[in-house]
Amino acid sequence: MSRPARVVLSVLSLAGAVGLLAALPYLVGVDWTEIGRQLGRLALWELAGLTLLWLAGLWAYTYVFTASLPGLAHRQALLMNAVGSAVSNLLPFGGAAGLAVTFAMARGWGHRNASITVSALVTGLWNVLARLLLPAVGIVALLVAGELPDRRTAAMALLAAAVILGILTVLVLALRSPRAARAVDRRLRAVARRLPG
């Protein structure tokens, strides 16, 4: 793909994300005046701090993108993260649309389909693992702090944390080696065969 075509594709992707951002409040029954009123309650230093925190989060994730897609610059990764996240968060079933936008942007910058697919699979898988880990850590923190109301709730929370950590352990083991992945596959198939049709 030529450089002008890549630039046009990038600009169109960004324009689409901005358009979605502008239209979304009206689609869910809120207008920008109300959003502005709520934001007006924050002090200027609070808005600046939140903006810096948001930008730092976006920048931190560029290291994930550049590690999973060699040849991608941090500036491109930042743009891809911002646009892909905006589309994913604004559209119904936005995850698929965000992935399509990310794929199109990476293709526009000259990356091969196979490399982009591997990057999407690796980052997606580790995002799922992190999302599994966070609730388990939160549950354990509540247990340690003694913030659960009674023993029954604490026992259920402990069971939930154990199940989440068990699933996480199995997934990480399956990722460690083909042999472990085949063993996990055999066990899951054996369990599935015992389930009713």
Side-chain angles (χ1 to χ4, degrees), residues 21-165:
L21 183 62
L24 185 70
Y26 301 104
L27 297 174
V28 296
V30 179
D31 61 27
W32 282 104
T33 306
E34 179 60 28
I35 292 170
R37 192 170 17 258
Q38 294 301 320
L39 289 175
R41 298 169 128 183
L42 297 172
L44 189 58
W45 70 269
E46 291 172 318
L47 281 173
L50 288 171
T51 302
L52 285 174
L53 182 63
W54 171 66
L55 289 172
L58 287 175
W59 181 258
Y61 202 76
T62 65
Y63 290 92
V64 174
F65 272 133
T66 55
S68 67
L69 189 57
L72 187 71
H74 282 279
R75 178 183 50 79
Q76 293 170 328
L78 180 64
L79 184 61
M80 198 160 66
N81 188 15
V83 174
S85 297
V87 171
S88 295
N89 293 328
L90 295 176
L91 286 177
F93 306 106
L99 182 59
V101 167
T102 298
F103 197 96
M105 291 177 77
R107 282 281 297 150
W109 290 318
H111 294 279
R112 294 188 340 257
N113 289 351
S115 300
I116 301 166
T117 302
V118 168
S119 172
L121 287 171
V122 168
T123 56
L125 183 60
W126 284 104
N127 286 341
V128 168
L129 293 177
R131 287 176 186 155
L132 280 174
L133 182 61
L134 285 176
V137 170
I139 291 169
V140 170
L142 286 173
L143 287 167
V144 170
E147 291 294 321
L148 296 173
D150 55 44
R151 284 178 170 258
R152 185 174 178 203
T153 306
M156 293 305 292
L158 186 59
L159 178 63
V163 167
I164 292 170
L165 290 173

Side-chain angles (χ1 to χ4, degrees), residues 188-197:
L188 289 175
R189 286 176 188 271
V191 169
R193 279 193 293 270
R194 292 192 185 109
L195 295 174

